[in-house]
Amino acid sequence: MGHVMRQSPGWPSLDDSPAADLYRSHAPVIFSYLRLHVPSYEDAEDLLVEVFLAAFEHGKVFELREREQIAWLQRVARNKMIDLYRRASHRQALDIEQVAELLYDDEEQGPERVVLRHEEYARLRASLKTLPAMQQEVLRLRFAEGLRSAEIATIVGRGDSAVRMMLSRALNMLRTIYEQR
């Protein structure tokens, strides 16, 4: 028979702690947000843990009103996602089977074309890295994640029109940088 740990009278329950309340109140929303923006369920779970660990370490989040708590948690979640994508971009590698599939999927696509395409992608990535971080993020959310400007505005904490302007400027800057190289 299993042992049930009983709580001593007078001791507060862990289920009633501010940390448990914060998690219970906001974890589903933060997890849904993460799940929309990261490639796997497991990554979303890992980031959720990181977000709430940051909240528990921060401590002052418990003093905020509910709307401020969710905004703070979303900012932390966004930053954790950015960190995840940065780590992933440093580990980009193709396994040999993927390369073989790329080379032989289409008769017209010989090794030279694949190499040229990868060079163009590398050139584009280098051009993207010269843009300010916010513009990079907005472009990533729009084109890699397929989000609309209103959705991006919610994530980055800006207005819809500001995001549209940022996208336009970023694309123009990127075009200029890319054409100069």
Side-chain angles (χ1 to χ4, degrees), residues 95-165:
D95 83 26
I96 196 70
E97 290 175 17
Q98 288 175 318
V99 171
E101 285 176 24
L102 283 173
L103 289 175
Y104 301 112
D105 269 353
D106 185 352
E107 293 290 324
E108 289 183 17
Q109 298 214 11
E112 302 85 21
R113 288 189 187 250
V114 172
V115 169
L116 287 173
R117 187 170 52 237
H118 283 289
E119 286 175 0
E120 283 298 313
Y121 290 154
R123 196 170 143 219
L124 181 58
R125 277 193 299 275
S127 297
L128 279 167
K129 288 183 181 181
T130 64
L131 295 176
M134 180 60 82
Q135 287 183 349
Q136 289 179 41
E137 175 69 2
V138 168
L139 285 172
R140 184 192 64 76
L141 291 170
R142 175 66 187 100
F143 296 105
E145 300 294 325
L147 299 179
R148 289 174 281 134
S149 60
E151 295 167 315
I152 296 168
T154 301
I155 292 168
V156 299
R158 302 276 175 97
D160 185 33
S161 60
V163 167
R164 278 189 261 127
M165 179 63 74

Side-chain angles (χ1 to χ4, degrees), residues 41-61:
Y41 188 87
E42 292 78 16
D43 286 340
E45 285 180 329
D46 292 346
L47 290 179
L48 182 68
V49 169
E50 289 181 33
V51 168
F52 280 91
L53 283 175
F56 301 154
E57 289 172 0
H58 186 268
K60 294 194 185 259
V61 73

Side-chain angles (χ1 to χ4, degrees), residues 5 12 39 46 58 66 68 72 76 84 102 127 152-153 171 176:
M5 198 166 174
D46 292 346
H58 186 268
E66 186 172 348
E68 293 168 330
W72 189 90
V76 172
L84 175 74
L102 283 173
S127 297
I152 296 168
L171 289 171
T176 302

